[in-house]
Amino acid sequence: MKSIKRVSALLLIFAIAIVSVFSIQVFASSNTMKVHYIDVGQGDAVLIESNSKYMLIDAGREKNTVADYLKKQKIKKLDYLILTHPDADHIGGSISIVNNYTIGKIIMPNKSHTSKTYENLLLAIKKKGLKITKPKVGTEYEIGDAEFTIIAPNKTYSDNNNSSIGLKLENGDTSFLFVGDAEEKAINDIIKNKIDISADVLMVGHHGSDSSTTEELIDAVDPDSAVISVGKNNYGHPTDSVLDMLSNHGVDIYRTDESRTIIATSNGKSVAIDADIFEHEAIENDSQIVYVTKTGKKYHRENCSALKSKIETTLDDVLSKGLTPCEICNP
Ligand SMILES: [Zn+2]
Ligand SMILES: [Zn+2]
């Protein structure tokens, strides 16, 4: 009897060992994808990584914020660079990305901008010998173990925002939706196209502006979570009506102005979102450097074109004096 017990105990240990090895292997082969909604203030920049392949959607306004972030992640090559549309809060940081990183494919809409930033971006792309791929709705691309499908733009629009590239990113059973700054007209065309845009995580269009998010879109996407990339702005982003609409649909809302960089991790089955609301907003205000003139009633960024002379001070100081942000540099 004793020896039978011992044998069954041994068998049990073997069984446990085999099961654990098996589950470790299953775990190792499950495809982890990370989506970093990088804090770029008012603007967009999203880094996606799957199986050591990388994609960047937009690059924020500032010259080096995103380039520095990629450097910290020790990234050398971007397999895809997607610039949703040529507005400065999306392409501003892309020139140093193009100059300093190896890029596999760059996808940009057929929409030009008269800005110097856009001109410089085209020059950088040309100098690097890169070809621009135009987005085609329905085209699928692979990124590591994940894949993405272009969902917009569905038409030619006169407006920059409506020309935004939209895409659905999928990793196993999980999915993420991006619509750039597309406004209602272009959003409606995405819905009309009948491509499946349901997703676990919606990146809220146009920094939470009410010109982008509609009830119909939220119904079609039916997300569990929404991420809003937004910073200090004079446009009222994110709009209360959009926040209410999402809350009423039971969607969890994450904001880069509250949590800074937000990282969503997909294991192919579910999505976990890492976003703490920062307590030290006040400390940050204290130390943020802004510039003023002797008599001006506005405060500015260092390189603002409206700044003829400049005195360095802090955001805390100018706010206490009742100064308002310059509309040109929008600090
Ligand atoms: Zn924007
Ligand atoms: Zn825009």
Side-chain angles (χ1 to χ4, degrees):
M1 259 331 248
K2 240 183 192 168
S3 67
I4 290 176
K5 256 189 192 161
R6 197 169 294 149
V7 168
S8 15
L10 273 175
L11 276 177
L12 188 65
I13 288 166
F14 266 121
I16 289 169
I18 287 166
V19 166
S20 353
V21 167
F22 183 67
S23 50
I24 286 165
Q25 276 178 346
V26 165
F27 184 72
S29 69
S30 82
N31 34 4
T32 300
M33 175 179 78
K34 278 189 192 291
V35 180
H36 307 230
Y37 300 88
I38 303 168
D39 174 25
V40 291
Q42 179 75 5
D44 278 5
V46 184
L47 172 70
I48 291 131
E49 52 171 309
S50 169
N51 205 2
S52 304
K53 300 285 182 205
Y54 297 93
M55 161 157 91
L56 184 69
I57 306 174
D58 289 334
R61 180 188 291 272
E62 295 290 336
K63 218 162 101 190
N64 290 318
T65 307
V66 175
D68 289 347
Y69 190 85
L70 298 190
K71 209 174 177 184
K72 254 189 229 147
Q73 306 287 321
K74 300 202 165 43
I75 294 168
K76 300 260 181 315
K77 180 189 174 186
L78 287 172
D79 300 90
Y80 299 93
L81 171 62
I82 296 182
L83 298 173
T84 60
H85 67 296
D87 281 347
D89 57 323
H90 297 252
I91 65 163
S94 66
I95 296 160
S96 60
I97 301 285
V98 170
N99 285 337
N100 295 306
Y101 288 87
T102 306
I103 293 166
K105 196 182 268 299
I106 175 162
I107 309 178
M108 286 167 67
N110 203 0
K111 187 83 206 161
S112 60
H113 199 296
T114 51
S115 70
K116 195 87 199 144
T117 309
Y118 184 71
E119 229 172 78
N120 288 339
L121 170 63
L122 290 187
L123 281 174
I125 292 170
K126 201 173 165 198
K127 223 171 107 192
K128 204 78 188 263
L130 286 165
K131 265 211 201 87
I132 296 172
T133 302
K134 302 288 174 209
K136 198 166 162 282
V137 170
T139 308
E140 291 173 18
Y141 297 93
E142 268 176 23
I143 162 95
D145 297 324
E147 57 184 43
F148 65 94
T149 309
I150 304 289
I151 61 161
N154 286 278
K155 284 182 189 160
T156 307
Y157 303 94
S158 56
D159 178 73
N160 269 338
N161 287 337
N162 280 334
S163 310
S164 288
I165 296 176
L167 62 96
K168 178 171 168 172
L169 173 69
E170 289 171 275
N171 182 50
D173 298 337
T174 66
S175 47
F176 296 72
L177 201 82
F178 304 87
V179 295
D181 280 356
E183 307 206 338
E184 199 168 338
K185 201 180 191 183
I187 292 287
N188 286 341
D189 290 333
I190 295 173
I191 298 169
K192 255 189 248 155
N193 197 7
K194 297 245 166 9
I195 275 187
D196 175 16
I197 55 168
S198 64
D200 300 296
V201 184
L202 167 68
M203 185 177 193
V204 179
H206 201 181
H207 324 290
S209 162
D210 60 358
S211 61
S212 177
T213 303
T214 61
E215 290 279 352
E216 291 75 20
L217 180 74
I218 301 176
D219 282 336
V221 180
D222 192 23
D224 295 327
S225 309
V227 177
I228 305 177
S229 186
V230 66
K232 281 196 186 70
N233 67 84
N234 301 325
Y235 312 110
H237 298 163
T239 316
D240 284 341
S241 64
V242 171
L243 297 174
D244 289 346
M245 240 190 273
L246 291 163
S247 298
N248 292 339
H249 281 77
V251 181
D252 292 330
I253 302 167
Y254 301 90
R255 302 166 49 160
T256 58
D257 62 339
E258 288 180 350
S259 302
R260 314 204 49 192
T261 294
I262 294 162
I263 301 179
T265 306
S266 154
N267 61 7
K269 292 262 170 258
S270 61
V271 177
I273 297 182
D274 185 8
D276 295 324
I277 294 196
F278 272 69
E279 310 285 354
H280 58 256
E281 183 93 9
I283 302 168
E284 235 204 335
N285 278 359
D286 276 334
S287 55
Q288 192 182 324
I289 303 294
V290 292
Y291 295 84
V292 293
T293 57
K294 230 174 189 167
T295 51
K297 292 278 170 279
K298 306 268 182 201
Y299 62 89
H300 309 259
R301 288 171 193 270
E302 184 174 13
N303 50 9
C304 179
S305 59
L307 207 52
K308 298 287 176 261
S309 64
K310 63 182 176 189
I311 303 163
E312 186 180 311
T313 180
T314 63
L315 184 59
D316 202 40
D317 177 56
V318 295
L319 291 178
S320 73
K321 287 179 180 150
L323 269 61
T324 54
C326 163
E327 287 87 10
I328 295 170
C329 61
N330 206 356

